Amino acid sequence: MEVNGCLWDMWVEEALSKLESLKVLRSLRPIQLPGEIARQSTCNETSPSNPSQEFQVFDGPREWDRASVEVNISESTFQKWLHDVPSSGDDNDVMYENIRADDKAEASKRKLRKLIIFSGNDYLGLSSHPMAAQAHGMGPRGSALICGYTNYHRLLESSLADIKRKEDCLLCPTGFSANMAFMTAVGNIGLLIAGGKPSKDDRVAIFSDALNHASIIDGIRLAEKQGNAVAFVYRHCDMSHLDALLSNCPMKKRVVVTDSMDGDFAPMTELAKLRKKHGFLFVIDDAHATFVCGKSGGGAAEMFNCETDVDICIGTLSKAAGCHGGFIACSKKWKLLIQSRGRSFIFSTSTPVPVAAAAHAAVIVAKEESWRRNAIWKRVQDFHALTGIRVESHIISLIVGREDKALQASRLRVTLSAVHTKDDLRKLTSALAQCVNFQEIGVLSRNCYPKL
């Protein structure tokens, strides 16, 4: 059934031909802006010759790295938070009441409490890296299809395509909009080929993991609402259930979409085998694994050595890249289709130039500074050593057995960062031990869903 991969190429080409005949095929035309990146040659975009010369990289933690996990909060705000007192966000003003101007700075120092973040998404600590904080103008503000697509955006897309081992990449305003754009575009294939509402069996069958992200679910619902797709939900990571659904599906245009990981990993190897058996289009949302997993940070597909089996890779730049935005790594044909039919991409203002430039720097730094990946996996091992809980990744969802304890420990999703220290984890586990029975968690975690 591997031949179905060729069928998808044929269907995409048919859809593109239809769009071209209707004169609605949309194009991206990079606007060249002045600046350091603009002066660099883009002739060999997908393979920067010497990234380490273009961006300063380091072989270990520096003083600025802690800024991504350490924050200060006023004591009054902390106490209100601790006791769940409602706030409109102006708590910091309290600390300045009735204080002389000369004493404000000293009072501020006395009344601030340092907190360590275990709930953020900056897995590699790149948000505070100096290479991700260079000054750039905002650039043209408009849709990428009108005036918002610049050489900065193109360089970012090329670097993402390179790390994902794909022919091209489409930059989107957010990871949410990336999933929405893809789902609506893939649903349009049957509509375009049929020249109208597709017949029942000509619609696209989308098989979705039960615990997929809300953006995937909403995108599928929209495609269904338009009458172009039908959704089939398989039990979380249950390959036998997915195999049965695929075997009983009469539709030829089949897509399987999964989160690559969220506490646990998607069974990538088994999914690749099913792809060979059934010939579906294999799509992963690699939001949590991108830059963290794999030798070069290519994500779950690189980690499990199945990059060539993944057809479409969707991701975000707001997690391990420490930045903002989303992307779809794919073939040039798929990119052209999505930018022509993905409404959440078409009708959104493009990513600001400084964000695109910072994200491009983050991609290069994340790839080059491999110590960050080594560090985060060491923290995963440390968490296991301190708690006895078997965890698979830097995202840890703790589920307790008794309702009263679940309410007491209301925030049980823990995310680890490369710039956390073992001492940070000791403090965390000591605090958690006051409301969580680690032995109980160790028994339950293997049979519980990873999401709260």
Side-chain angles (χ1 to χ4, degrees), residues 190-246:
L191 176 70
L192 290 167
I193 293 176
K197 187 175 181 180
S199 64
K200 183 178 179 180
D201 288 345
D202 283 334
R203 291 177 295 177
V204 177
I206 304 177
F207 299 82
S208 177
D209 186 287
L211 294 184
N212 272 343
H213 190 264
S215 57
I216 298 174
I217 296 170
D218 286 359
I220 294 173
R221 285 174 175 169
L222 181 57
E224 275 194 304
K225 185 71 174 178
Q226 294 171 336
N228 302 327
V230 180
F232 298 87
V233 179
Y234 62 92
R235 291 185 292 271
H236 179 55
C237 292
D238 190 333
M239 295 299 96
S240 295
H241 188 210
L242 175 59
D243 187 21
L245 289 174
L246 287 164

Side-chain angles (χ1 to χ4, degrees), residues 41-253:
S41 171
T42 58
C43 294
N44 191 22
E45 293 169 328
T46 59
S47 182
S49 56
N50 277 306
S52 59
Q53 292 180 7
E54 298 173 16
F55 299 97
Q56 188 177 9
V57 296
F58 305 90
D59 58 2
R62 294 294 188 272
E63 62 275 9
W64 53 74
D65 284 313
R66 290 293 292 178
S68 66
V69 294
E70 284 186 358
V71 295
N72 291 320
I73 189 172
S74 72
E75 185 64 29
S76 61
T77 298
F78 177 77
Q79 292 300 327
K80 287 184 178 181
W81 191 2
L82 188 66
H83 296 95
D84 202 22
V85 177
S87 168
S88 61
D90 57 356
D91 296 345
N92 284 334
D93 293 340
V94 176
M95 59 189 285
Y96 289 101
E97 290 180 1
N98 302 319
I99 300 176
R100 290 186 305 117
D102 294 343
D103 296 331
K104 283 185 178 180
E106 186 59 33
S108 175
K109 291 179 183 178
R110 289 199 308 268
K111 295 191 176 183
L112 287 180
R113 179 186 288 257
K114 185 175 74 174
L115 299 181
I116 301 173
I117 299 173
F118 280 98
S119 57
N121 295 324
D122 188 7
Y123 307 137
L124 299 183
L126 287 174
S127 63
S128 57
H129 197 286
M131 290 298 100
Q134 301 181 53
H136 294 279
M138 291 300 289
R141 307 308 300 128
S143 166
L145 295 168
I146 301 174
C147 65
Y149 187 72
T150 71
N151 49 306
Y152 292 90
H153 298 83
R154 181 60 209 152
L155 282 171
L156 174 55
E157 289 178 339
S158 296
S159 65
L160 288 166
D162 179 56
I163 203 169
K164 288 297 183 180
R165 302 290 189 270
K166 292 291 177 278
E167 186 181 16
D168 212 333
C169 180
L170 181 67
L171 183 64
C172 298
T174 64
F176 203 107
S177 66
N179 272 318
M180 292 289 289
F182 173 75
M183 290 303 164
T184 53
V186 77
N188 262 256
I189 287 182
L191 176 70
L192 290 167
I193 293 176
K197 187 175 181 180
S199 64
K200 183 178 179 180
D201 288 345
D202 283 334
R203 291 177 295 177
V204 177
I206 304 177
F207 299 82
S208 177
D209 186 287
L211 294 184
N212 272 343
H213 190 264
S215 57
I216 298 174
I217 296 170
D218 286 359
I220 294 173
R221 285 174 175 169
L222 181 57
E224 275 194 304
K225 185 71 174 178
Q226 294 171 336
N228 302 327
V230 180
F232 298 87
V233 179
Y234 62 92
R235 291 185 292 271
H236 179 55
C237 292
D238 190 333
M239 295 299 96
S240 295
H241 188 210
L242 175 59
D243 187 21
L245 289 174
L246 287 164
S247 298
N248 293 319
C249 178
M251 303 175 195
K252 292 182 179 180
K253 301 179 185 70

